[in-house]
Amino acid sequence: MLYARLKKQNDFKRMFARGKKCFSPALIVLYLPAENMRLGVCVSKKHGKSVKRNRIKRLLREAFRKVCPQMKREYSVILIPKQAEAYSLEAFEKSLRIALRREGILQ
């Protein structure tokens, strides 16, 4: 299943205002039911310089790509990583599955 990207500031503001939050060991996930699957990623400067932030974004997108086909319906999702010493695809994927399963979004 393919997904679109959340890019516009208004979309992010709406998600932060109305979106439901769920938490996991490595992530904070905001989500809202939508017409099509969309993903936004927020990585602050607290995580490091641009090279490190961009790597975190790539890992988050890949983790979402793997989990996305198992979702019950279409959602707009924003992923916010928590600060850690090291970041890995396995940790993000596991945390995303934990958070979405807890909310009943994953099959």
Side-chain angles (χ1 to χ4, degrees):
M1 175 186 295
L2 295 176
Y3 63 88
R5 301 261 307 271
L6 281 173
K7 293 183 182 179
K8 297 188 178 181
Q9 186 176 8
N10 286 338
D11 293 336
F12 276 91
K13 283 183 179 179
R14 185 176 67 243
M15 287 289 293
F16 278 105
R18 297 188 207 153
K20 296 179 183 175
K21 288 183 184 179
C22 55
F23 303 91
S24 66
L27 291 173
I28 299 171
V29 180
L30 280 88
Y31 66 94
L32 269 177
E35 294 177 10
N36 53 11
M37 193 68 74
R38 296 172 10 154
L39 172 68
V41 179
C42 291
V43 182
S44 71
K45 290 187 178 182
K46 291 178 185 177
H47 293 283
K49 298 198 183 250
S50 62
V51 173
K52 191 170 183 180
R53 291 195 311 266
N54 289 333
R55 176 169 167 68
I56 293 169
K57 290 178 196 176
R58 287 194 307 272
L59 291 173
L60 287 171
R61 281 190 221 110
E62 180 64 17
F64 185 77
R65 186 190 66 77
K66 288 183 175 183
V67 173
C68 183
Q70 299 164 2
M71 295 173 82
K72 292 180 180 176
R73 56 173 297 205
E74 308 290 316
Y75 288 93
S76 290
V77 178
I78 293 180
L79 301 177
I80 306 167
K82 293 181 180 177
Q83 279 188 295
E85 299 233 350
Y87 300 94
S88 69
L89 178 60
E90 294 80 23
F92 284 143
E93 189 176 346
K94 183 179 177 183
S95 290
L96 187 57
R97 286 182 194 280
I98 288 170
L100 295 179
R101 204 170 278 133
R102 190 179 300 146
E103 295 295 317
I105 295 172
L106 268 174
Q107 294 178 344

